[in-house]
Amino acid sequence: MNIKNHLTRYSWQQVTDWIEAHTARDVEQALRKKKRSVRDFLTLVSPAAEPYLEQMAQLSQQITQQRFGRTIQLFAPLYVSNECQNICTYCGFSMDNRIKRKTLSKSELLLEAMALKAMGVNHVLLVAGEANKTVGIDYFLTAIDLLRPYFVNISIEVQPLSTNEYKQLYQAGVYSVLVYQETYHREVYRRYHPKGKKSNFDFRLETPDRIGEAHIHKIGLGVLLGLEDWRVDSFYNAVHIDYLQRKYWRSRYSVSFPRLRPAEGTEGPNFVMKDRHLLQLICAYRIWNPDLEISLSTREHEVFRDHVIPLGITSMSAASKTNPGGYVVDPQSLEQFEISDERSMDSIRTQIRNLGYDPVMKDWESCFAQGHI
């Protein structure tokens, strides 16, 4: 069964009705279980689970420490281009926004890399808009070849690629690939993506399968929180992760929680997600799936980020710039979105230590993942 058929077993309205039908008894039963299904995940994100948030947080903390210890992996994004051939109504890089477009040259890539290395960064995430003609596989392979001597871990968050292209990235040393469906609501997806290759819902939906077929070490998923009902969208995302873990069991998986932030030429969120609901979602993922890596970005405010460090998070971005060249080359270029936590890498490391956790900048050598030992 492919992912399209797998997800169409659940209608959006059906999932909405299930969420509303949950009771306190359902939540208590889910919390008592030793092993939980995606239906239990749905229970834990329901309104009925909100009064149990403190209990969920304690359980989430316990499970996370058992599986991951008291460590937080730190990484930083490196935006390589804001060129894009899509119209996305929520993104500052959208093709219809009249902004200055920039793609980093080889020398500029190295300048940005040196700035990140000066901050102690060893895990870097390459991010780009979706411009296949100018920023495609050849550009990424060149960038990875340039940056590999400076970072032990290179991940990418770019446009969906073919299986063969992901295999090339794997051979080049890419550790993980992140791709977000944005929303699993098929009927409204096109409204948010009216033009460009990204408007093809199924092509994007099948991307993690192509990543898995290429044997990428880690696959990252998530939804853009604010487009549609976060509970329903997150259930579909959990079903997707469950499907992938069963099919591509050699890969590791992570989930991220991008909440809509202000950006050039965009409107506010369609659905507002409160902080306590994001905490509930983080805990629900951890309780449902103890092995899942959970990442939190600088989209979130520093107070919230500090609060949730002990409650399920395993990795965090820090000192982020969301514009190409934002660290040293072109600090005034347009951001994809406004970050909220603007603290330095040193400040975040200090805060993590103050909370009794260890900020990890380098935890393995990439050669181990490729079998080069």
Side-chain angles (χ1 to χ4, degrees):
M1 179 180 291
N2 60 34
I3 185 57
K4 179 180 177 181
N5 293 335
H6 193 70
L7 291 179
T8 53
R9 296 183 302 168
Y10 312 98
S11 74
W12 191 273
Q13 187 57 53
Q14 181 185 43
V15 176
T16 301
D17 292 342
W18 285 345
I19 290 171
E20 296 301 324
H22 279 100
T23 65
R25 182 179 180 183
D26 296 327
V27 178
E28 292 168 2
Q29 289 178 339
L31 290 174
R32 284 197 297 266
K33 290 182 178 181
K34 291 185 178 180
K35 187 175 182 180
R36 301 169 183 87
S37 68
V38 289
R39 289 297 296 269
D40 294 311
F41 173 85
L42 191 65
T43 301
L44 295 175
V45 298
S46 71
E50 289 188 39
Y52 295 85
L53 188 54
E54 180 64 31
Q55 185 176 343
M56 288 175 61
Q58 292 176 2
L59 181 57
S60 179
Q61 181 181 38
Q62 176 186 343
I63 293 171
T64 305
Q65 289 185 5
Q66 288 174 347
R67 295 300 179 99
F68 296 93
R70 301 173 70 92
T71 62
I72 301 293
Q73 179 71 60
L74 291 175
F75 69 95
L78 198 172
Y79 277 69
V80 300
S81 176
N82 62 7
E83 295 187 57
C84 193
Q85 297 163 347
N86 298 314
I87 293 179
C88 302
T89 61
Y90 50 80
C91 181
F93 291 174
S94 183
M95 184 175 66
D96 57 340
N97 285 340
R98 296 181 178 276
I99 64 171
K100 179 183 177 182
R101 304 291 174 169
K102 183 175 183 61
T103 297
L104 299 184
S105 66
K106 293 180 181 180
S107 60
E108 290 172 333
L109 279 168
L110 290 175
L111 286 172
E112 292 288 285
M114 294 302 97
L116 290 174
K117 290 298 295 184
M119 293 190 287
V121 174
N122 274 302
H123 288 227
V124 67
L125 172 67
L126 303 187
V127 187
E130 301 192 9
N132 293 286
K133 294 180 180 179
T134 55
V135 190
I137 185 63
D138 291 339
Y139 179 91
F140 299 134
L141 291 173
T142 298
I144 292 163
D145 186 57
L146 282 171
L147 300 175
R148 192 170 52 223
Y150 303 99
F151 301 101
V152 299
N153 182 301
I154 298 177
S155 302
I156 65 168
E157 183 183 335
V158 299
Q159 69 266 27
L161 302 170
S162 68
T163 301
N164 183 59
E165 289 170 329
Y166 284 125
K167 288 179 178 178
Q168 292 180 66
L169 292 174
Y170 172 77
Q171 292 298 325
V174 165
Y175 169 70
S176 67
V177 179
L178 283 63
V179 60
Y180 305 139
Q181 189 62 25
E182 314 298 14
T183 177
Y184 286 87
H185 197 313
R186 180 182 290 270
E187 287 73 24
V188 302
Y189 179 92
R190 186 61 182 267
R191 188 171 74 234
Y192 289 117
H193 310 97
K195 186 174 182 179
K197 196 170 183 178
K198 194 170 180 178
S199 63
N200 188 331
F201 181 93
D202 288 328
F203 182 75
R204 194 169 189 87
L205 182 67
E206 294 161 357
T207 301
D209 275 284
R210 298 192 295 275
I211 300 170
E213 290 166 359
H215 307 296
I216 296 292
H217 188 71
K218 185 169 73 175
I219 304 172
L221 283 81
V223 295
L224 186 53
L225 300 167
L227 295 184
E228 294 299 321
D229 187 323
W230 66 269
R231 292 184 170 94
V232 183
D233 249 340
S234 296
F235 170 73
Y236 279 102
N237 192 61
V239 171
H240 200 169
I241 292 171
D242 185 65
Y243 157 88
L244 292 166
Q245 284 183 315
R246 295 174 188 275
K247 191 170 183 179
Y248 308 104
W249 52 270
R250 289 184 177 87
S251 294
R252 298 168 66 180
Y253 293 86
S254 67
V255 65
S256 302
F257 308 95
R259 275 200 288 186
L260 272 177
R261 292 283 299 154
E264 179 73 18
T266 65
E267 300 178 356
N270 192 26
F271 286 79
V272 176
M273 186 187 202
K274 298 179 180 179
D275 285 355
R276 70 173 183 273
H277 291 147
L278 181 51
L279 174 58
Q280 180 183 357
L281 181 59
I282 291 169
C283 293
Y285 269 113
R286 171 58 65 230
I287 295 169
W288 161 61
N289 195 327
D291 295 322
L292 190 65
E293 297 184 24
I294 296 180
S295 182
L296 197 65
S297 78
T298 51
R299 288 174 182 259
E300 301 304 326
H301 190 270
E302 62 186 72
V303 174
F304 180 83
R305 296 210 328 153
D306 290 349
H307 180 70
V308 299
I309 282 173
L311 303 182
I313 302 301
T314 59
S315 68
M316 302 175 73
S317 58
S320 302
K321 301 297 181 182
T322 67
N323 47 328
Y327 295 103
V328 291
V329 171
D330 190 4
Q332 301 305 314
S333 63
L334 185 71
E335 299 173 316
Q336 185 185 29
F337 56 86
E338 296 179 10
I339 67 169
S340 186
D341 187 348
E342 298 182 346
R343 291 175 294 178
S344 69
M345 185 68 73
D346 285 340
S347 295
I348 292 177
R349 280 200 294 252
T350 298
Q351 180 60 23
I352 291 173
R353 292 190 187 98
N354 290 341
L355 292 168
Y357 282 69
D358 182 20
V360 178
M361 305 301 291
K362 174 183 176 181
D363 62 348
W364 69 299
E365 290 290 351
S366 58
C367 62
F368 295 139
Q370 303 290 345
H372 299 158
I373 55 176

